[in-house]
Amino acid sequence: MNVAILYPPISKEGRFPTMGQNRQFKFTNTCESFPPPIVPGYAATMLKQDGHKVLWHDGIIHRMHIDEYNKALYEFDPDIVMIETKTPIIYKHWAYIEDLKKNLHAKIVLVGDHVTWNPEESMTKSRVDFVIASGDYDFGLRNICRHLDDGADLVGGIWYRENGRIRNSGEAKFGEDLDTLPFVDWDLIGYNYHEAYLYRPTGYIMSGRGCGGGPCGVGTCSFCIWQHTLWKKNARLRSPANVADEILQMTEKYHFKEIFDDNESGAIYDKKWLAQFYKEMTHRGLIGKVILSSNSRADNLDDENCELMKKTGFRLLKVGLESGSDETLRRINKKESIEQIEAGVKNAKDHGLRVKLTTMTGFPWETEDDVRKTYEVARKLMFYKARFGDCLQSSVLIPYPGTPLFFEALKENWFSVDPYDYDEYDMSKPILKCSYDAMAWCEKIWRIHKASRFMLRSFLSLRSVDDVKLGLIGFKSLQGHEEDQKWEH
């Protein structure tokens, strides 16, 4: 069959949506931070290996006009179309599905965190044929193809139509062995994906699925849409050997300079895993040949882990601070204290690792003093042993439907907009009541990058032409964020 995996270039006032691997969503002017949608990448690769003809059609990363995009799609004439969606763009995707149904005879499959939370909604309000209510939509899409091709039974977590009625195949199960996944075919997916804080060409992996949560067990942050919908608070890892084999292929075949592990907390929360991974990387001769970076929780960053990561070739860790208030961290079920986060970040920096901090503004219970603490903690950690490569991001809190924070906001009457008007979730403004100007504080946190002390230390620690190139990309990305913030105001 002909299978098309689509990211249609549906824009808003010239800005394009951050889709795919982004946990959070906004329309943006910048082209510097678009990671690849990895789970759909595995899906495309599996289907190609199964003998299907696959069109990877990402009009967002290529900034295509919708007419040009549709022309190429119609010429491909797919039998099956898969679209990944998110809350702020769901209305537009429902409308786009209506257009596809007028021009194609394809079966249409919707996937993503929003439809995993409420699959029946899209079945009722659009003409979609299937909804995969699970994060394992690579396995799910292959199952649908086999169902349509030779009548295979549908696995759990799939909604479909039968004789005009909406049905489902039961609860999704997480029984698939992640080591059975093929390595992503980057010739099929393309090499245009990257983020401003990573060296290029950039490759991406997922060492597992779900937040390992550090010493406290599985991560349960109340704002995390993926953990609460896609993975149902499960955490699974691929084997260290399997991940090392994929990195070997990405290094030798595709020549990626830096590879980022976009599993929620990486695999580094598991000490045994990390120790074996170091051995596997050593055995394959990869130490010193590739740069690695990863998501991480701060409470994983003890001496043993940091030493192992540095020896293995890790450069940068993306760490969630979220807030400088211990009360906020408790309320969002972060399972970390400010003291623990500061200790972990400083320990990582002591071992020569770079850190990217993530912060949020707009918690409805916070005061101006609370958000000022967030700014001060972020500033302190950015300045601590600042080197080129350290960076941060800040975003306005968005309680996506399906998260515990969403249900708490409904109960406490925190919404300042209609909570079921999904267009409002595009991060162009706060949607929860807040006692301070969340957008202004978000901008102020971003501007820590421009502090003379931080810029001087970053400049003095430049070591290569690649560092200079990355610095210019980062500066361009920061300008793009500032343009977005002006547009949002």
Side-chain angles (χ1 to χ4, degrees), residues 28-51:
T28 182
N29 181 61
T30 181
C31 300
E32 302 305 330
S33 289
F34 276 87
I38 303 175
V39 175
Y42 287 122
T45 304
M46 280 198 293
L47 295 176
K48 181 181 175 182
Q49 289 185 354
D50 286 349

mmCIF file of all heavy atoms in Angstrom, residues 28-51:
data_model
loop_
_atom_site.group_PDB
_atom_site.id
_atom_site.type_symbol
_atom_site.label_atom_id
_atom_site.label_comp_id
_atom_site.label_asym_id
_atom_site.label_seq_id
_atom_site.Cartn_x
_atom_site.Cartn_y
_atom_site.Cartn_z
ATOM 1 N N THR A 28 5.513 29.549 15.719
ATOM 2 C CA THR A 28 6.796 30.246 15.842
ATOM 3 C C THR A 28 7.291 30.768 14.501
ATOM 4 O O THR A 28 6.983 30.214 13.441
ATOM 5 C CB THR A 28 7.866 29.335 16.471
ATOM 6 O OG1 THR A 28 9.091 30.055 16.618
ATOM 7 C CG2 THR A 28 8.116 28.106 15.609
ATOM 8 N N ASN A 29 8.079 31.809 14.607
ATOM 9 C CA ASN A 29 8.718 32.396 13.434
ATOM 10 C C ASN A 29 10.083 31.772 13.161
ATOM 11 O O ASN A 29 10.572 31.793 12.042
ATOM 12 C CB ASN A 29 8.883 33.908 13.671
ATOM 13 C CG ASN A 29 9.513 34.620 12.493
ATOM 14 O OD1 ASN A 29 8.978 34.629 11.406
ATOM 15 N ND2 ASN A 29 10.675 35.220 12.720
ATOM 16 N N THR A 30 10.696 31.215 14.207
ATOM 17 C CA THR A 30 12.056 30.705 14.062
ATOM 18 C C THR A 30 12.087 29.340 13.377
ATOM 19 O O THR A 30 11.162 28.543 13.531
ATOM 20 C CB THR A 30 12.758 30.613 15.425
ATOM 21 O OG1 THR A 30 14.089 30.127 15.240
ATOM 22 C CG2 THR A 30 12.027 29.666 16.363
ATOM 23 N N CYS A 31 13.150 29.075 12.648
ATOM 24 C CA CYS A 31 13.351 27.768 12.008
ATOM 25 C C CYS A 31 14.444 26.969 12.716
ATOM 26 O O CYS A 31 14.851 25.914 12.225
ATOM 27 C CB CYS A 31 13.754 27.959 10.543
ATOM 28 S SG CYS A 31 12.554 28.825 9.533
ATOM 29 N N GLU A 32 14.921 27.455 13.840
ATOM 30 C CA GLU A 32 16.132 26.889 14.440
ATOM 31 C C GLU A 32 15.881 25.729 15.387
ATOM 32 O O GLU A 32 16.825 25.052 15.784
ATOM 33 C CB GLU A 32 16.894 27.994 15.183
ATOM 34 C CG GLU A 32 17.294 29.180 14.313
ATOM 35 C CD GLU A 32 18.091 28.773 13.094
ATOM 36 O OE1 GLU A 32 18.809 27.757 13.147
ATOM 37 O OE2 GLU A 32 17.975 29.458 12.069
ATOM 38 N N SER A 33 14.654 25.511 15.809
ATOM 39 C CA SER A 33 14.397 24.463 16.802
ATOM 40 C C SER A 33 13.209 23.610 16.395
ATOM 41 O O SER A 33 12.072 23.857 16.822
ATOM 42 C CB SER A 33 14.168 25.082 18.194
ATOM 43 O OG SER A 33 15.377 25.591 18.711
ATOM 44 N N PHE A 34 13.478 22.623 15.556
ATOM 45 C CA PHE A 34 12.454 21.682 15.129
ATOM 46 C C PHE A 34 13.026 20.266 15.190
ATOM 47 O O PHE A 34 13.606 19.771 14.237
ATOM 48 C CB PHE A 34 11.973 22.008 13.716
ATOM 49 C CG PHE A 34 10.909 23.070 13.680
ATOM 50 C CD1 PHE A 34 11.250 24.410 13.643
ATOM 51 C CD2 PHE A 34 9.567 22.723 13.719
ATOM 52 C CE1 PHE A 34 10.282 25.392 13.626
ATOM 53 C CE2 PHE A 34 8.586 23.688 13.709
ATOM 54 C CZ PHE A 34 8.939 25.032 13.653
ATOM 55 N N PRO A 35 12.866 19.597 16.343
ATOM 56 C CA PRO A 35 13.331 18.204 16.431
ATOM 57 C C PRO A 35 12.447 17.283 15.612
ATOM 58 O O PRO A 35 11.290 17.608 15.338
ATOM 59 C CB PRO A 35 13.210 17.890 17.928
ATOM 60 C CG PRO A 35 12.112 18.795 18.411
ATOM 61 C CD PRO A 35 12.239 20.057 17.591
ATOM 62 N N PRO A 36 12.961 16.138 15.212
ATOM 63 C CA PRO A 36 12.171 15.225 14.381
ATOM 64 C C PRO A 36 11.153 14.460 15.212
ATOM 65 O O PRO A 36 11.394 14.162 16.384
ATOM 66 C CB PRO A 36 13.227 14.261 13.821
ATOM 67 C CG PRO A 36 14.262 14.226 14.891
ATOM 68 C CD PRO A 36 14.306 15.615 15.473
ATOM 69 N N PRO A 37 10.005 14.139 14.626
ATOM 70 C CA PRO A 37 9.042 13.269 15.299
ATOM 71 C C PRO A 37 9.537 11.823 15.255
ATOM 72 O O PRO A 37 9.429 11.140 14.236
ATOM 73 C CB PRO A 37 7.756 13.459 14.490
ATOM 74 C CG PRO A 37 8.152 14.114 13.219
ATOM 75 C CD PRO A 37 9.534 14.627 13.330
ATOM 76 N N ILE A 38 10.113 11.341 16.341
ATOM 77 C CA ILE A 38 10.859 10.088 16.306
ATOM 78 C C ILE A 38 9.951 8.872 16.216
ATOM 79 O O ILE A 38 10.224 7.938 15.448
ATOM 80 C CB ILE A 38 11.790 9.990 17.529
ATOM 81 C CG1 ILE A 38 12.734 11.197 17.568
ATOM 82 C CG2 ILE A 38 12.607 8.707 17.474
ATOM 83 C CD1 ILE A 38 13.611 11.244 18.810
ATOM 84 N N VAL A 39 8.865 8.845 16.997
ATOM 85 C CA VAL A 39 7.969 7.688 16.936
ATOM 86 C C VAL A 39 7.395 7.516 15.528
ATOM 87 O O VAL A 39 7.420 6.403 14.981
ATOM 88 C CB VAL A 39 6.873 7.784 18.008
ATOM 89 C CG1 VAL A 39 5.867 6.644 17.858
ATOM 90 C CG2 VAL A 39 7.485 7.740 19.411
ATOM 91 N N PRO A 40 6.893 8.571 14.878
ATOM 92 C CA PRO A 40 6.496 8.412 13.478
ATOM 93 C C PRO A 40 7.652 8.005 12.564
ATOM 94 O O PRO A 40 7.441 7.327 11.557
ATOM 95 C CB PRO A 40 5.960 9.796 13.103
ATOM 96 C CG PRO A 40 5.483 10.358 14.390
ATOM 97 C CD PRO A 40 6.486 9.880 15.408
ATOM 98 N N GLY A 41 8.878 8.416 12.923
ATOM 99 C CA GLY A 41 10.038 7.982 12.145
ATOM 100 C C GLY A 41 10.226 6.481 12.191
ATOM 101 O O GLY A 41 10.534 5.838 11.184
ATOM 102 N N TYR A 42 10.034 5.893 13.390
ATOM 103 C CA TYR A 42 10.078 4.437 13.495
ATOM 104 C C TYR A 42 8.939 3.813 12.682
ATOM 105 O O TYR A 42 9.121 2.778 12.034
ATOM 106 C CB TYR A 42 9.969 4.005 14.958
ATOM 107 C CG TYR A 42 11.203 4.256 15.785
ATOM 108 C CD1 TYR A 42 11.152 5.047 16.935
ATOM 109 C CD2 TYR A 42 12.424 3.693 15.441
ATOM 110 C CE1 TYR A 42 12.289 5.274 17.700
ATOM 111 C CE2 TYR A 42 13.558 3.908 16.200
ATOM 112 C CZ TYR A 42 13.489 4.700 17.330
ATOM 113 O OH TYR A 42 14.619 4.927 18.091
ATOM 114 N N ALA A 43 7.750 4.439 12.733
ATOM 115 C CA ALA A 43 6.605 3.913 11.971
ATOM 116 C C ALA A 43 6.914 3.883 10.483
ATOM 117 O O ALA A 43 6.684 2.872 9.801
ATOM 118 C CB ALA A 43 5.364 4.759 12.244
ATOM 119 N N ALA A 44 7.433 4.987 9.956
ATOM 120 C CA ALA A 44 7.744 5.062 8.538
ATOM 121 C C ALA A 44 8.766 3.997 8.140
ATOM 122 O O ALA A 44 8.639 3.345 7.093
ATOM 123 C CB ALA A 44 8.268 6.457 8.192
ATOM 124 N N THR A 45 9.778 3.826 8.995
ATOM 125 C CA THR A 45 10.830 2.853 8.702
ATOM 126 C C THR A 45 10.281 1.428 8.715
ATOM 127 O O THR A 45 10.589 0.620 7.827
ATOM 128 C CB THR A 45 11.973 2.993 9.714
ATOM 129 O OG1 THR A 45 12.454 4.348 9.708
ATOM 130 C CG2 THR A 45 13.122 2.060 9.374
ATOM 131 N N MET A 46 9.453 1.104 9.712
ATOM 132 C CA MET A 46 8.859 -0.234 9.789
ATOM 133 C C MET A 46 8.009 -0.528 8.556
ATOM 134 O O MET A 46 8.091 -1.620 7.979
ATOM 135 C CB MET A 46 7.991 -0.361 11.046
ATOM 136 C CG MET A 46 8.761 -0.621 12.308
ATOM 137 S SD MET A 46 7.711 -1.275 13.650
ATOM 138 C CE MET A 46 6.672 0.125 13.998
ATOM 139 N N LEU A 47 7.197 0.439 8.158
ATOM 140 C CA LEU A 47 6.291 0.202 7.026
ATOM 141 C C LEU A 47 7.064 0.050 5.722
ATOM 142 O O LEU A 47 6.694 -0.761 4.860
ATOM 143 C CB LEU A 47 5.277 1.331 6.934
ATOM 144 C CG LEU A 47 4.312 1.421 8.117
ATOM 145 C CD1 LEU A 47 3.405 2.633 7.993
ATOM 146 C CD2 LEU A 47 3.489 0.149 8.239
ATOM 147 N N LYS A 48 8.138 0.814 5.588
ATOM 148 C CA LYS A 48 8.988 0.648 4.411
ATOM 149 C C LYS A 48 9.600 -0.743 4.388
ATOM 150 O O LYS A 48 9.631 -1.404 3.334
ATOM 151 C CB LYS A 48 10.086 1.716 4.404
ATOM 152 C CG LYS A 48 11.010 1.633 3.195
ATOM 153 C CD LYS A 48 12.089 2.713 3.250
ATOM 154 C CE LYS A 48 13.084 2.561 2.102
ATOM 155 N NZ LYS A 48 14.168 3.592 2.175
ATOM 156 N N GLN A 49 10.061 -1.213 5.540
ATOM 157 C CA GLN A 49 10.634 -2.561 5.617
ATOM 158 C C GLN A 49 9.588 -3.638 5.345
ATOM 159 O O GLN A 49 9.915 -4.719 4.852
ATOM 160 C CB GLN A 49 11.275 -2.780 6.995
ATOM 161 C CG GLN A 49 12.549 -1.977 7.209
ATOM 162 C CD GLN A 49 13.231 -2.303 8.522
ATOM 163 O OE1 GLN A 49 12.707 -3.052 9.339
ATOM 164 N NE2 GLN A 49 14.411 -1.735 8.736
ATOM 165 N N ASP A 50 8.319 -3.330 5.673
ATOM 166 C CA ASP A 50 7.235 -4.287 5.423
ATOM 167 C C ASP A 50 6.819 -4.335 3.953
ATOM 168 O O ASP A 50 5.950 -5.122 3.586
ATOM 169 C CB ASP A 50 6.016 -3.940 6.275
ATOM 170 C CG ASP A 50 6.206 -4.285 7.746
ATOM 171 O OD1 ASP A 50 7.197 -4.972 8.072
ATOM 172 O OD2 ASP A 50 5.367 -3.877 8.570
ATOM 173 N N GLY A 51 7.409 -3.451 3.138
ATOM 174 C CA GLY A 51 7.125 -3.488 1.708
ATOM 175 C C GLY A 51 6.166 -2.426 1.216
ATOM 176 O O GLY A 51 5.827 -2.385 0.022
#
